[in-house]
Amino acid sequence: MKARVHVTLKNGVLDPQGKAIQHALAALGFDGVDDVRQGKFIELDLAETDKVKAEAAVDEMCRKLLSNTVIENYDIEID
Amino acid sequence: MKARVHVTLKNGVLDPQGKAIQHALAALGFDGVDDVRQGKFIELDLAETDKVKAEAAVDEMCRKLLSNTVIENYDIEID
């Protein structure tokens, strides 16, 4: 079973990496880029075959390791 | 208009960051994680309102800055 996790910075948290991308795009001549936010994307291959159990396990992984819940949100897709 | 870009390592390219996550999960007691791959997730706010033009612009951004097409794939969603 595959899990796809997006870890993104919460609104209001400064994103220097996103700002660096935005400035680099402007320097390359791409106009009209109003904002850039960079997050992480993690794909997991799980041995678990039960969707509910897999989602619960990944949720725990996100809370314990994959995200910093003080400043980040996470979003899980299982398929 | 919003664009969401996923940048992932091509198959066959070593992913030390993913391996580090996999080992850390195992150390935390999460069994049954067969593989982990980490990629980047970039959200762009674009002034462009034409979907086709926005997609073409983001595709060019991916080729010029956001991804290293030698070792990475990218995937664009516009909405």
Side-chain angles (χ1 to χ4, degrees), chain A residues 9 13-23 36-38:
Chain A
L9 285 168
V13 177
L14 286 179
D15 181 359
Q17 207 171 1
K19 282 282 170 251
I21 294 172
Q22 190 178 351
H23 292 146
V36 180
R37 305 281 284 175
Q38 170 153 7

Side-chain angles (χ1 to χ4, degrees), chain A residues 37-73:
Chain A
R37 305 281 284 175
Q38 170 153 7
K40 280 174 278 187
F41 172 59
I42 302 160
E43 285 176 300
L44 302 130
D45 264 340
L46 304 170
E48 181 64 61
T49 52
D50 182 279
K51 192 171 173 175
V52 174
K53 282 187 196 164
E55 187 152 7
V58 175
D59 191 78
E60 200 180 342
M61 290 175 202
C62 286
R63 280 183 284 109
K64 286 198 177 164
L65 181 75
L66 303 179
S67 77
N68 174 353
T69 54
V70 177
I71 56 166
E72 291 171 329
N73 292 322

Side-chain angles (χ1 to χ4, degrees), chain B:
Chain B
M1 192 153 255
K2 287 242 186 200
R4 294 153 54 93
V5 177
H6 288 93
V7 179
T8 50
L9 285 168
K10 289 186 177 174
N11 283 334
V13 177
L14 287 178
D15 180 1
Q17 207 172 1
K19 282 283 169 250
I21 294 171
Q22 191 178 350
H23 292 145
L25 287 171
L28 286 171
F30 292 104
D31 299 322
V33 180
D34 296 335
D35 194 27
V36 180
R37 304 282 284 175
Q38 170 153 5
K40 281 173 277 187
F41 173 58
I42 301 160
E43 285 176 301
L44 302 129
D45 264 340
L46 304 170
E48 181 64 61
T49 52
D50 182 279
K51 192 171 172 175
V52 174
K53 282 187 196 164
E55 187 152 6
V58 174
D59 190 78
E60 199 180 342
M61 289 175 202
C62 286
R63 280 183 285 109
K64 287 198 177 164
L65 181 75
L66 303 179
S67 77
N68 175 353
T69 54
V70 177
I71 56 166
E72 291 171 329
N73 291 322
Y74 60 86
D75 176 60
I76 300 167
E77 291 162 51
I78 305 272
D79 50 35

